Short mmCIF file of all heavy atoms in Angstrom, two decimals:
data_model
loop_
_atom_site.label_atom_id
_atom_site.label_comp_id
_atom_site.label_asym_id
_atom_site.label_seq_id
_atom_site.Cartn_x
_atom_site.Cartn_y
_atom_site.Cartn_z
N LYS A 2 50.28 -18.05 -30.61
CA LYS A 2 50.13 -17.18 -29.39
C LYS A 2 50.65 -15.75 -29.81
O LYS A 2 51.59 -15.59 -30.40
CB LYS A 2 50.91 -17.80 -28.25
CG LYS A 2 50.52 -17.36 -26.93
CD LYS A 2 51.26 -18.13 -25.89
CE LYS A 2 50.77 -17.87 -24.50
NZ LYS A 2 51.52 -18.59 -23.48
N TYR A 104 76.54 5.79 -27.11
CA TYR A 104 77.96 5.40 -26.68
C TYR A 104 78.92 5.85 -27.73
O TYR A 104 79.96 6.49 -27.35
CB TYR A 104 78.10 3.95 -26.49
CG TYR A 104 79.44 3.40 -26.10
CD1 TYR A 104 79.94 3.66 -24.87
CD2 TYR A 104 80.23 2.73 -27.01
CE1 TYR A 104 81.18 3.17 -24.50
CE2 TYR A 104 81.47 2.33 -26.70
CZ TYR A 104 82.01 2.53 -25.38
OH TYR A 104 83.29 2.13 -25.09
N VAL A 125 61.12 -0.58 -21.31
CA VAL A 125 61.69 -1.95 -20.88
C VAL A 125 61.15 -2.29 -19.54
O VAL A 125 60.66 -3.45 -19.36
CB VAL A 125 63.24 -1.88 -20.92
CG1 VAL A 125 63.72 -3.26 -20.45
CG2 VAL A 125 63.71 -1.63 -22.33
N GLU A 131 54.12 8.90 -14.34
CA GLU A 131 53.84 9.27 -13.02
C GLU A 131 54.48 8.38 -11.98
O GLU A 131 54.44 8.78 -10.73
CB GLU A 131 52.24 9.16 -12.78
CG GLU A 131 51.68 7.79 -12.97
CD GLU A 131 51.13 7.68 -14.45
OE1 GLU A 131 51.71 8.34 -15.36
OE2 GLU A 131 50.21 6.89 -14.58
N GLU A 136 65.16 14.46 -10.80
CA GLU A 136 65.73 15.55 -10.07
C GLU A 136 65.18 15.82 -8.72
O GLU A 136 64.83 16.89 -8.24
CB GLU A 136 65.57 16.96 -10.92
CG GLU A 136 66.26 16.89 -12.26
CD GLU A 136 67.73 16.75 -12.24
OE1 GLU A 136 68.31 17.23 -11.33
OE2 GLU A 136 68.28 16.07 -13.17
N TYR A 137 64.95 14.68 -8.11
CA TYR A 137 64.33 14.57 -6.82
C TYR A 137 65.26 15.22 -5.65
O TYR A 137 66.43 14.76 -5.55
CB TYR A 137 64.09 13.11 -6.41
CG TYR A 137 63.22 12.96 -5.16
CD1 TYR A 137 61.86 12.74 -5.22
CD2 TYR A 137 63.84 12.86 -3.91
CE1 TYR A 137 61.09 12.64 -4.10
CE2 TYR A 137 63.08 12.60 -2.76
CZ TYR A 137 61.72 12.50 -2.82
OH TYR A 137 60.99 12.32 -1.75
N VAL A 157 65.98 3.96 -6.01
CA VAL A 157 66.73 5.15 -6.33
C VAL A 157 67.61 4.82 -7.48
O VAL A 157 68.21 3.78 -7.55
CB VAL A 157 67.62 5.60 -5.18
CG1 VAL A 157 68.61 6.71 -5.58
CG2 VAL A 157 66.78 6.14 -4.02
N GLU A 171 81.26 6.62 -7.52
CA GLU A 171 79.91 6.67 -8.05
C GLU A 171 79.09 5.70 -7.24
O GLU A 171 77.83 6.08 -6.97
CB GLU A 171 79.86 6.24 -9.51
CG GLU A 171 80.43 7.30 -10.40
CD GLU A 171 81.96 7.33 -10.36
OE1 GLU A 171 82.63 6.42 -10.08
OE2 GLU A 171 82.56 8.43 -10.71
N ILE A 172 79.57 4.61 -6.85
CA ILE A 172 78.76 3.65 -6.02
C ILE A 172 78.41 4.24 -4.70
O ILE A 172 77.31 4.14 -4.20
CB ILE A 172 79.50 2.25 -5.82
CG1 ILE A 172 79.73 1.59 -7.22
CG2 ILE A 172 78.87 1.34 -4.85
CD1 ILE A 172 80.75 0.47 -7.19
N LEU A 216 75.15 -4.22 -21.00
CA LEU A 216 74.39 -4.21 -22.28
C LEU A 216 75.28 -3.97 -23.52
O LEU A 216 74.77 -3.92 -24.57
CB LEU A 216 73.28 -3.14 -22.27
CG LEU A 216 72.22 -3.27 -21.11
CD1 LEU A 216 71.32 -2.11 -21.18
CD2 LEU A 216 71.51 -4.61 -21.33
N SER A 226 66.12 -11.53 -16.87
CA SER A 226 65.46 -11.91 -15.58
C SER A 226 65.82 -10.88 -14.49
O SER A 226 64.91 -10.56 -13.77
CB SER A 226 65.90 -13.34 -15.15
OG SER A 226 65.46 -14.31 -16.09
N CYS A 237 56.29 -5.21 -7.75
CA CYS A 237 54.98 -5.45 -7.13
C CYS A 237 55.13 -6.80 -6.38
O CYS A 237 54.26 -7.10 -5.49
CB CYS A 237 53.85 -5.55 -8.13
SG CYS A 237 53.40 -3.91 -8.84
N LEU A 257 79.81 -17.54 4.26
CA LEU A 257 80.18 -18.96 4.20
C LEU A 257 81.36 -19.30 5.15
O LEU A 257 81.35 -20.33 5.95
CB LEU A 257 80.52 -19.50 2.85
CG LEU A 257 79.35 -19.60 1.88
CD1 LEU A 257 79.87 -19.87 0.47
CD2 LEU A 257 78.39 -20.64 2.27
N TYR A 280 92.56 -39.16 16.62
CA TYR A 280 93.27 -38.00 17.31
C TYR A 280 92.15 -37.00 17.74
O TYR A 280 91.32 -36.66 16.92
CB TYR A 280 94.20 -37.32 16.34
CG TYR A 280 94.93 -36.11 16.99
CD1 TYR A 280 95.87 -36.26 17.95
CD2 TYR A 280 94.48 -34.89 16.47
CE1 TYR A 280 96.40 -35.08 18.49
CE2 TYR A 280 95.05 -33.73 17.02
CZ TYR A 280 95.99 -33.86 18.01
OH TYR A 280 96.63 -32.73 18.58
#
Side-chain angles (χ1 to χ4, degrees):
K2 201 173 186 181
Y104 179 72
V125 177
E131 57 266 27
E136 300 294 328
Y137 187 96
V157 169
E171 289 73 28
I172 294 168
L216 299 176
S226 297
C237 287
L257 285 174
Y280 177 72

